[in-house]
Amino acid sequence: MATRSFLVLIMALLVFLISTFTASLMQTNEIDLIENQEGKKLYISEDLYDLNGNKVAVESLLEGKVLLNVWASWCITCLVEHPFLKKVTESKDVELVGINYKDQDFNAEKYLIDNGDPYSFSVHDLSGSFSLKLGVTGAPETFLVIDGVIVSHRIGEVNMEVWNEKFAQYF
Amino acid sequence: MKNLLNIFKLIVALSLPFSLCAENLYSNLNPEELKRLNYLSDNIRCPKCSYGNISSSNAPISKDLKEEIAELINIGYSNEEIFDLMEKRYGDYVILKTDLDDNKTLFLVPLMILIISILLVTTYTIKKSK
């Protein structure tokens, strides 16, 4: 009797293990382990300058709906998402502000001349310190800030699918 | 031969400024604080590459984070405050050190199972041998 219940127990354990294993194999979407910045306040502790060297009015980033896009001329994926950003700014009422991440200003300007400029202006973050405090881990990244609060954060390329999932509901 | 020696001297003289620059990394920290920087960067995961800590990673963001931590130490932040800041920014996944207080059940349950099973086996064998 004891051995029989023991066998049943072992079998149940085996079935459980195999089913969890197959379930983990079926899982296709990657789990985000690094927390994104959604729900946090946009905190600006330093003076910001745009690509022309003019000081940026910080209030303009903290009021209303602002889409922040981290980009750089050396970043290949930024070039991939660039046409989509242009399409979005043309077809919708979006204030798109660029954060030029660890980039030389002449390279950045050349990039904008070559590929078009969808940004209202771009913050020149040469050292990357503003982006680091914002929680940026690389380029490209896109933040939607509404009245100073980050409501949506995408690490990586923004395309139609991502736009519909993360940003479209706010526009 | 003398020419060669002069060229060598020139090279040494020219490379001297670079070697002096190299020494200036984290020069604002004393040895005690450098030890803290090493401890912290050994225990914070690189948020970009996530397979290792920031002291073993060559990702630009790891370098930036090390510099930021050095600056925070310099301002007077404690280790706990720096861990808290990193956890707030990137989530608890980036903290590699184990917090015993937060995970009491995780550590205690296997230990209890072990003790209980040892007790069960010993009582069973003692019973059987009688």
Side-chain angles (χ1 to χ4, degrees):
Chain A
M1 192 60 208
T3 43
R4 204 166 153 193
S5 57
F6 184 69
L7 262 176
V8 168
L9 197 75
I10 291 283
M11 286 306 278
L13 202 70
L14 210 66
V15 167
F16 172 72
L17 279 177
I18 290 170
S19 52
T20 31
F21 180 65
T22 27
S24 72
L25 284 182
M26 307 271 228
Q27 191 178 34
T28 47
N29 56 325
E30 239 175 274
I31 306 162
D32 286 333
L33 292 166
I34 298 295
E35 216 169 82
N36 64 27
Q37 306 299 318
E38 281 162 21
K40 292 178 192 173
K41 274 207 164 131
L42 183 65
Y43 173 70
I44 301 169
S45 60
E46 56 196 294
D47 289 345
L48 301 177
Y49 295 90
D50 68 9
L51 284 172
N52 302 318
N54 302 318
K55 202 168 165 184
V56 171
V58 172
E59 301 79 48
S60 68
L61 299 177
L62 297 173
E63 279 164 12
K65 260 186 249 175
V66 183
L67 201 62
L68 292 174
N69 178 250
V70 180
W71 65 279
S73 65
W74 46 261
C75 154
I76 308 295
T77 319
C78 303
L79 195 62
V80 172
E81 72 170 6
H82 205 76
F84 182 76
L85 293 177
K86 276 198 285 190
K87 222 165 69 190
V88 164
T89 47
E90 278 161 16
S91 59
K92 288 198 172 69
D93 180 30
V94 177
E95 209 213 328
L96 182 65
V97 173
I99 298 173
N100 184 236
Y101 180 61
K102 293 195 171 187
D103 204 356
Q104 297 293 343
D105 47 3
F106 48 86
N107 286 337
E109 270 153 21
K110 187 173 180 298
Y111 176 91
L112 291 179
I113 290 166
D114 289 351
N115 304 302
D117 186 358
Y119 306 105
S120 332
F121 62 88
S122 282
V123 175
H124 189 213
D125 192 16
L126 179 61
S127 67
S129 70
F130 169 59
S131 308
L132 188 71
K133 291 192 175 81
L134 192 63
V136 171
T137 57
E141 284 194 23
T142 306
F143 299 81
L144 176 63
V145 182
I146 297 181
D147 292 325
V149 179
I150 297 162
V151 289
S152 213
H153 179 197
R154 162 72 179 170
I155 300 173
E157 181 200 350
V158 174
N159 49 34
M160 202 65 208
E161 198 181 321
V162 173
W163 177 266
N164 286 337
E165 186 196 329
K166 301 212 82 165
F167 301 105
Q169 51 188 307
Y170 300 102
F171 292 97
Chain B
M1 198 61 213
K2 209 170 180 188
N3 249 344
L4 218 68
L5 194 72
N6 276 337
I7 289 169
F8 179 71
K9 275 182 193 166
L10 193 71
I11 289 171
V12 169
L14 284 176
S15 59
L16 202 64
F18 294 106
S19 55
L20 289 178
C21 281
E23 267 176 34
N24 278 339
L25 195 63
Y26 309 126
S27 64
N28 49 356
L29 300 182
N30 60 37
E32 195 62 33
E33 288 170 332
L34 266 180
K35 239 186 229 169
R36 278 180 58 203
L37 176 68
N38 285 338
Y39 167 71
L40 286 163
S41 44
D42 280 347
N43 283 291
I44 291 171
R45 191 194 295 270
C46 163
K48 180 81 189 168
C49 29
S50 73
Y51 48 75
N53 54 25
I54 57 176
S55 60
S56 71
S57 154
N58 272 327
I61 187 172
S62 300
K63 196 173 141 270
D64 288 352
L65 281 175
K66 267 180 277 181
E67 272 165 20
E68 196 192 0
I69 291 168
E71 208 181 299
L72 290 173
I73 289 173
N74 210 20
I75 299 171
Y77 273 58
S78 73
N79 286 0
E80 278 312 306
E81 281 169 330
I82 292 170
F83 277 131
D84 280 353
L85 187 83
M86 291 297 146
E87 194 176 337
K88 239 189 223 159
R89 195 184 289 167
Y90 301 112
D92 58 1
Y93 180 65
V94 296
I95 308 299
L96 291 171
K97 88 182 154 88
T98 326
D99 198 345
L100 250 171
D101 290 337
D102 284 358
N103 301 301
K104 268 190 187 126
T105 36
L106 191 68
F107 288 99
L108 284 180
V109 164
L111 199 70
M112 265 153 58
I113 289 177
L114 183 72
I115 291 169
I116 289 169
S117 46
I118 287 173
L119 281 177
L120 280 178
V121 167
T122 42
T123 46
Y124 181 75
T125 42
I126 287 167
K127 243 190 207 165
K128 225 163 184 198
S129 63
K130 264 178 189 172

